[in-house]
Amino acid sequence: MSFISNIKSNYNPKRLAVKLNAKGEQFVVKKHPWVFSNSIVKINDNAHTGDLTIVFSKNKNKVIGLGLYDANSPIRIKMIHFGTADVNESFFLKKVEAAFEKRLKLLQTNTTSFRLIFGENDSFPGLIADVYNSVLVVKLYSEIWLPYLETILKSLQKVSETETIVIRLSRNLQQSNKHELNDGEVVYGYLKNEVVQFVEHGVRFSANVILGHKTGYFLDHRENRRLVGGFSKGKRVLDVFSYAGGFSVHALYNDAQEVTSLDISKQALEIAIENGKLNDYNGKHITIAGDAFVELKRLINNNKTYDVVVIDPPSFAKQQSEIELAKKKYAQLAELGEKLTSKNGLLVLASCSSRVVVQSFFDINLQTLRKQKRVFKNILNTQHDIDHPVTFPEGSYLKCAYYRFKD
């Protein structure tokens, strides 16, 4: 098997010598992966996206880091290495091997899906690589990788030992004229079915690697799904913003009495039902299609309560201006969730908005729940699973809190 020819870029990158101002240099010294345009003091003329930038210290003329130039982003240089190195096939292979080693503990469990490359946190800014059984899905968010893509894909395939590689492209990459790739294209091996089955802590799932969101599934909540499953035996569970039923299926697998999956997408709910059927379970699986805020109020008005309530919304703050509104929405969901949580029940609240920082989210939940005048205990707070390592502040986005009510 060989890689298809159109993964090659039509531009050959060159090397750029770069000097930064004091603030920019300090960020690089502290191993932050982003260099903004206003930090650049000196750079070669005619720089192009994908060029290798060699960052020199201002005074000692010493190489302090290597990055890739991105003409289309305010983050003008995206760092791929701190210190000096030869950027070649061996360089990328070692980076992928280092990332794989961080995931070894997870792979000792009954799990065949994991994130092999988590963007900047694994020295590949703007690149995600997820493994679903024997299929590797690589999603590109930046043109900086186009000149190096074939080399990187070979390293990813070698380390992961996957049989198939699918390329997914962000919206801006789909509109780029710098390549001939198509979103959802198989660039290595072949794909029998666009829906790929995999195992997560013993529970069977499927992902549409061609048409599904992101790379086909959301792997980041894996550990939280396992934990919720452990709390669900004999319980009535409500999974809000359920998407493909991650929490729902774990609950059913762990002998929940009844599980309700709530999502605005009927198609996602159909996938949730099918994912449930991949496993043996005896409980009842109910679906509700509709806006979560509206449907939660309707359930409250109908005096519904659940032993376990999980609320895991999409990002509410994709830009700075949305932060305050996002905080109000999280508070509203905490209040609605409390009203739906039965006596001695468990409320699980999650956020994937990186702009709402960890402590702020936890504080919002506590402040809101204390106003409800029920006795509760914050039994657990979690963040990223092992295959989503965080190496810089902005790389952290996931947070999840568990509240046990004492009625």
Side-chain angles (χ1 to χ4, degrees):
M1 289 185 287
S2 60
F3 292 90
I4 63 171
S5 59
N6 64 346
I7 63 176
K8 293 181 179 178
S9 169
N10 55 17
Y11 173 70
N12 292 317
K14 58 182 178 294
R15 294 159 67 91
L16 307 174
V18 177
K19 286 197 175 183
L20 309 176
N21 60 24
K23 185 178 179 181
E25 184 175 324
Q26 202 55 32
F27 267 75
V28 174
V29 170
K30 291 180 178 178
K31 298 187 176 181
H32 196 288
W34 296 345
V35 176
F36 288 88
S37 57
N38 59 8
S39 294
I40 299 174
V41 173
K42 187 178 180 182
I43 191 169
N44 304 55
D45 293 334
N46 200 28
H48 287 89
T49 295
D51 284 343
L52 178 66
T53 58
I54 303 163
V55 182
F56 290 87
S57 60
K58 197 172 182 183
N59 298 324
K60 297 181 181 179
N61 223 29
K62 174 186 173 185
V63 175
I64 57 174
L66 306 173
L68 298 179
Y69 187 82
D70 191 343
N72 304 314
S73 171
I75 305 172
R76 198 55 51 87
I77 299 172
K78 294 167 180 174
M79 302 301 294
I80 60 172
H81 187 75
F82 299 97
T84 185
D86 292 325
V87 178
N88 50 29
E89 192 169 337
S90 175
F91 171 87
F92 289 119
L93 179 60
K94 286 177 182 176
K95 293 286 186 186
V96 174
E97 287 174 338
F100 184 76
E101 195 169 331
K102 293 178 184 178
R103 279 81 174 164
L104 287 178
K105 187 176 178 181
L106 172 64
L107 298 179
Q108 290 167 5
T109 68
N110 187 8
T111 298
T112 62
S113 59
F114 64 99
R115 175 151 292 181
L116 175 54
I117 299 295
F118 182 33
E120 288 89 337
N121 299 282
D122 288 307
S123 301
F124 287 88
L127 188 151
I128 297 293
D130 288 345
V131 173
Y132 298 102
N133 210 344
S134 63
V135 178
L136 176 72
V137 185
V138 177
K139 181 149 188 180
L140 298 180
Y141 290 89
S142 174
E143 291 178 353
I144 62 173
W145 293 112
L146 293 175
Y148 314 93
L149 188 55
E150 185 170 16
T151 298
I152 291 168
L153 292 181
K154 287 178 179 177
S155 296
L156 289 168
Q157 190 281 324
K158 181 177 180 179
V159 173
S160 65
E161 297 183 345
T162 43
E163 298 171 3
T164 305
I165 300 180
V166 176
I167 286 285
R168 299 296 303 270
L169 304 172
S170 64
R171 190 172 288 110
N172 66 307
L173 261 294
Q174 290 178 40
Q175 297 168 352
S176 169
N177 61 2
K178 297 290 195 298
H179 62 87
E180 298 175 4
L181 294 163
N182 297 305
D183 183 46
E185 187 170 3
V186 177
V187 295
Y188 178 80
Y190 61 95
L191 196 63
K192 293 180 182 177
N193 193 321
E194 65 186 35
V195 178
V196 178
Q197 291 190 19
F198 59 93
V199 178
E200 176 181 285
H201 290 307
V203 185
R204 293 188 184 91
F205 282 96
S206 66
N208 190 316
V209 297
I210 304 296
L211 300 173
H213 286 305
K214 305 291 185 181
T215 64
Y217 191 68
F218 295 99
L219 298 172
D220 50 7
H221 262 307
R222 181 192 303 101
E223 178 62 10
N224 288 313
R225 290 191 285 262
R226 186 187 70 81
L227 289 169
V228 166
F231 287 119
S232 297
K233 185 169 184 175
K235 307 295 186 183
R236 297 174 68 249
V237 179
L238 174 63
D239 179 9
V240 187
F241 302 101
S242 60
Y243 183 53
F247 287 101
S248 299
V249 176
H250 270 271
L252 289 166
Y253 180 84
N254 283 276
D255 297 324
Q257 180 186 45
E258 178 187 290
V259 174
T260 300
S261 299
L262 194 168
D263 199 274
I264 198 166
S265 168
K266 291 182 180 179
Q267 182 183 15
L269 291 172
E270 289 171 4
I271 296 170
I273 292 289
E274 292 305 311
N275 277 334
K277 290 178 180 177
L278 294 174
N279 304 275
D280 295 327
Y281 68 88
N282 297 314
K284 187 177 181 182
H285 194 180
I286 300 166
T287 60
I288 299 174
D291 178 273
F293 291 90
V294 173
E295 295 301 327
L296 291 179
K297 289 173 184 175
R298 184 180 63 79
L299 290 171
I300 292 167
N301 290 336
N302 290 337
N303 298 313
K304 290 280 189 180
T305 59
Y306 301 85
D307 304 304
V308 179
V309 176
V310 180
I311 303 180
D312 175 34
S315 178
F316 287 147
K318 293 185 177 178
Q319 50 194 22
Q320 196 74 18
S321 60
E322 297 173 333
I323 292 176
E324 290 309 310
L325 179 58
K327 290 179 177 179
K328 290 177 182 177
K329 288 183 177 180
Y330 286 127
Q332 189 177 359
L333 287 174
E335 183 176 350
L336 293 169
E338 180 273 334
K339 288 179 169 58
L340 287 163
T341 306
S342 65
K343 291 182 177 181
N344 302 311
L346 179 70
L347 174 61
V348 181
L349 299 172
S351 164
C352 63
S353 299
S354 62
R355 295 181 185 275
V356 178
V357 298
V358 175
Q359 196 55 51
S360 177
F361 176 69
F362 292 151
D363 289 345
I364 291 166
N365 293 338
L366 288 172
Q367 291 163 10
T368 304
L369 295 179
R370 282 169 182 157
K371 291 177 183 176
Q372 312 312 309
K373 302 189 180 350
R374 286 177 74 184
V375 178
F376 68 91
K377 183 179 180 181
N378 180 194
I379 63 171
L380 181 66
N381 290 334
T382 66
Q383 287 184 251
H384 292 241
D385 204 351
I386 190 172
D387 59 340
H388 288 67
V390 176
T391 59
F392 69 114
E394 295 87 346
S396 173
Y397 68 94
L398 190 69
K399 46 266 182 194
C400 188
Y402 296 66
Y403 303 96
R404 173 72 73 185
F405 289 90
K406 302 285 185 181
D407 295 278

